[in-house]
Structure formats: C-alpha cells, structure tokens
Amino acid sequence: MTSLRTSPSSPSTPPPSEEFSALVPYGWDDAWAAAFAPHAAAGLLPGRVVRVDRGQCDVLTPGGTLRADTAFVTPHDPLRVVCTGDWVAVEPGGNPRYVRTYLPRRTAFVRSTSSKRSEGQILAANVDHAIVAVSLAVELDLGRVERFLALAWESGAQPVVVLTKADLVPDAATLAHLVQDVETSAPGVPVLPVSSLDGAGLDVLAAVVGGGTSVLLGQSGAGKSTLANALLGEDVMDVQSTRDADGKGRHTTTTRNLLPLPGGGVLIDTPGLRGVGLWDAETGVGQVFAEIEELARDCRFHDCAHESEPGCAVLAAIDAGDLAPRRLDSYRKLVRENQRIVAKTDARVRAEIRRDWKRKHAEGRAAMEAKRGRLR
C-alpha cells in the first residue's frame, strides 16, 4: 500500500519569493516554494487549506482567503481528497474557482472509517505535532491513548499527550501518578498535564507546538476547544460543558479549522473522534509498543505470537514483572485490528493470514492428537 506519511524535501531549494511571504506564518518554506514552482509557471496561486466543507474549501493565498471548489482533485478516493493543512495550487480567477492539485504531503493523519467498506479517511495533512487531548475528568483509558498514538506515529508527526483539566486533580502526588501511567503507555512521547482554567502547563505546550503545524485530537469532552482557545489567546472555538453523568462531551467543533497561533505556528482543531480505527498503522503500533517489539527480538521463534510458545521473551518479561499484562493485551488487539484492515485491501496479506491460521490450526490438532496418544 502506498504510504502517505512523508515526502522528502529537496536539499537545495530556492528561497520563497517575496510575493508569497504572506504564507510564511502558515508554514510556507523553501521546500514548498520549490515544489510549487511548476504550478507558479502555469499561472496558479499557492495557498494552504484552512477549512473544507462539502466539496469546497477556504484557501489562504498571498492575496487573502478565497473559496474554491475541489472537484478536480480525485474526489472518489477518500485518501486523495483535499483536506485541512494541504498546500494547493488554485486558479487565480473564475467563478467558481477550482483547486487544481495539492502538493505532495509531508505527513498525513489517516484513520479507518466506521463504514463496512473499511476505507481510510484523511483528517489532516502536513502536521508536525499531533496533540492527543485526554481528559482527567474521567478515568484514564490507556488503550484509547495507545490507539491515538499509533495513528499519530504512523502519520509521520511527533505525538504529544496533553492531560487536560489538570485542575480537577489538585493533589500533586495523584497527578504525578497519572502522568506516570500515561508515560508508561507512551514511550518517547511528552506527557503534559495542562489546565485551561488556571493556565498551568500552557506555556510548556505553547513552546512545544510553536513554529510548526499542530493538530488537536481527542474524544468529545476532552477539552480540545477550550485548549484551542487557551493557545489562541481568545475564544475562537465554541465550547460546551460535558455531561455530568459520564464526562462525555457534545460535538462543538464540526469542521477541521486551521488557525494561526499568537506565538508562531498554526493549529488544526478537529471534531471529537468517537471511532478511532487503525488504517495500515503497523509502524505506528510498533512505535507505541517499542518495548514489546524489542523483547520480541529475543524470542526463540521469529514468528512468536507471545501466547504460550517456549522461549518467549515477552512472556518471560511479564512473569518477571518487567512488562504489564495490559500492555501485551493492548498490543495484541491493535496488531490484530491492523492486520484485518490491511487484509481487506491487500490480497497478499490475506493469503499470509490464511496460511498462518492453517499452520496454527494444524499445530493445535497435532498437539491434541499427541496428548490423546499419551493418555491411552
């Protein structure tokens, strides 16, 4: 399957022209200027998509924001549609105007849709930081955090976990324990407790995301819109209170919007995601469970499933107390889910899964027959 994660920049590119300088605060740089050069020669305008809505999009161009139609950009492929964060080539005039193409994406955040067709859905493009917002108003769901992180790593962006509503945990020792729990499930990822109410931790988060493009992800009620307003320094996003019964929120953000941050950089706010399905995220899953993949290299069998095989280094780590059983259960779940998604679009993978199932079935049958022979 073609990866959407990265597109290498040219090592030597001409500087962006002065006429496009208005785009620099939104991420325009030398590499984007070089990629756009052929389209500039064709008389098209560069711009960054700040919002997409029903086949049309708002594009920030050197002359201001304009409305454009996206019909020319392969509308029938959900992974090739124009999305928030894309850099595009748009017609300078016309009624309606049209986006003619988008530039190769450096990163792309993709999830599986909830449809039975298991299509991929692109949520944001050209993102440097993926901010996973997790509310401390409800019990931590570490499995969901791991799921978000797998998609974030797979996108090519650097994940950051933000524990929102930290003011609801006034005891410092309890808060430190919660942070440690998340850090254990998020190797290599900064975990920042933040309160939009009293401002605690906001300066650290602003420093992390300043100067690049960040996407804000999480469930409804995680405090994303409140956090976005705090980072923006004004009430740009609508906010609604969560339900007292279960801490869940209502969808206040209904589109993905790209907004400039006062300290530099831009932020893409997204609607709350109730379904977060993996989409060809093998690398991302491996990154989230890096310690398990490291242990697995010492297993006796290279295709060890870490279930009951002799010489399994992963099970040995659990027996020794060095690995939490919950981590292995979560790892197995995400690996299986990702295999199912990939198998639906890749005949080779489907064949490998069938062969593996037949092999395990034969081994189980042989073991049962051997056991029966010993009992006779």
Side-chain angles (χ1 to χ4, degrees):
M1 181 177 296
T2 302
S3 172
L4 292 176
R5 293 204 306 153
T6 58
S7 176
S9 303
S10 171
S12 57
T13 56
S17 64
E18 289 295 324
E19 63 178 318
F20 299 156
S21 60
L23 300 177
V24 172
Y26 289 83
W28 185 259
D29 59 24
D30 296 353
W32 289 124
F36 186 77
H39 306 296
L44 299 176
L45 287 174
R48 192 160 198 197
V49 177
V50 298
R51 185 173 180 268
V52 178
D53 181 27
R54 298 180 181 178
Q56 292 191 317
C57 62
D58 294 333
V59 183
L60 181 81
T61 70
T65 301
L66 54 82
R67 191 76 166 163
D69 196 294
T70 64
F72 278 104
V73 188
T74 53
H76 301 298
D77 184 343
L79 295 182
R80 296 292 185 269
V81 298
V82 171
C83 74
T84 303
D86 270 328
W87 287 99
V88 297
V90 64
E91 294 174 344
N95 188 19
R97 295 177 199 257
Y98 287 97
V99 172
R100 286 294 174 177
T101 188
Y102 60 80
L103 301 185
R105 292 162 177 159
R106 295 179 182 175
T107 64
F109 192 95
V110 180
R111 69 164 177 175
S112 176
T113 65
S114 57
S115 69
K116 293 182 179 179
R117 292 177 294 178
S118 298
E119 295 176 335
Q121 178 189 22
I122 183 165
L123 301 181
N126 303 311
V127 171
D128 300 299
H129 293 94
I131 305 172
V132 179
V134 180
S135 173
L136 291 178
V138 295
E139 185 177 355
L140 284 176
D141 184 344
L142 297 177
R144 182 169 289 272
V145 173
E146 290 160 347
R147 178 179 293 273
F148 269 108
L149 291 177
L151 293 176
W153 280 121
E154 190 68 29
S155 77
Q158 167 65 51
V160 180
V161 176
V162 173
L163 302 180
T164 65
K165 308 181 184 182
D167 52 281
L168 298 179
V169 189
D171 180 68
T174 301
L175 181 60
H177 178 72
L178 293 171
V179 171
Q180 185 178 31
D181 280 349
V182 178
E183 286 177 337
T184 302
S185 300
V189 177
V191 179
L192 308 176
V194 168
S195 171
S196 300
L197 183 65
D198 60 25
L202 283 175
D203 55 341
V204 178
L205 178 59
V208 170
V209 302
T213 298
S214 302
V215 63
L216 193 51
L217 306 159
Q219 289 183 283
S220 298
K224 298 189 309 302
S225 294
T226 303
L227 182 60
N229 286 336
L231 289 171
L232 293 164
E234 55 182 318
D235 291 339
V236 175
M237 310 305 297
D238 291 334
V239 176
Q240 294 185 18
S241 60
T242 57
R243 300 195 298 253
D244 292 335
D246 55 12
K248 293 183 179 179
R250 305 168 181 85
H251 286 295
T252 54
T253 303
T254 56
T255 59
R256 299 170 190 93
N257 305 281
L258 187 146
L259 305 162
L261 294 169
V266 290
L267 178 71
I268 299 174
D269 192 19
T270 65
L273 301 175
R274 289 179 181 167
V276 193
L278 300 184
W279 179 259
D280 196 8
E282 179 181 359
T283 300
V285 172
Q287 190 80 32
V288 175
F289 298 94
E291 82 278 29
I292 294 179
E293 301 241 320
E294 181 68 25
L295 287 167
R297 295 190 180 98
D298 294 328
C299 290
R300 182 182 302 177
F301 304 108
H302 75 278
D303 58 347
C304 183
H306 320 307
E307 293 176 349
S308 58
E309 296 88 344
C312 176
V314 175
L315 296 179
I318 288 179
D319 291 340
D322 297 328
L323 177 66
R326 188 206 66 79
R327 285 282 284 172
L328 180 56
D329 290 341
S330 184
Y331 173 72
R332 287 170 174 159
K333 179 179 179 180
L334 294 185
V335 167
R336 286 195 300 267
E337 178 182 329
N338 193 66
Q339 286 177 337
R340 286 196 299 270
I341 290 295
V342 174
K344 290 181 179 180
T345 57
D346 191 321
R348 179 185 56 80
V349 174
R350 285 199 301 272
E352 289 178 354
I353 291 176
R354 281 197 298 268
R355 285 196 296 270
D356 186 58
W357 180 85
K358 289 179 180 179
R359 177 181 62 79
K360 290 183 177 180
H361 181 70
E363 289 174 352
R365 186 169 55 189
M368 183 61 70
E369 290 176 352
K371 182 178 180 180
R372 288 173 179 169
R374 289 195 298 270
L375 293 174
R376 288 176 183 171

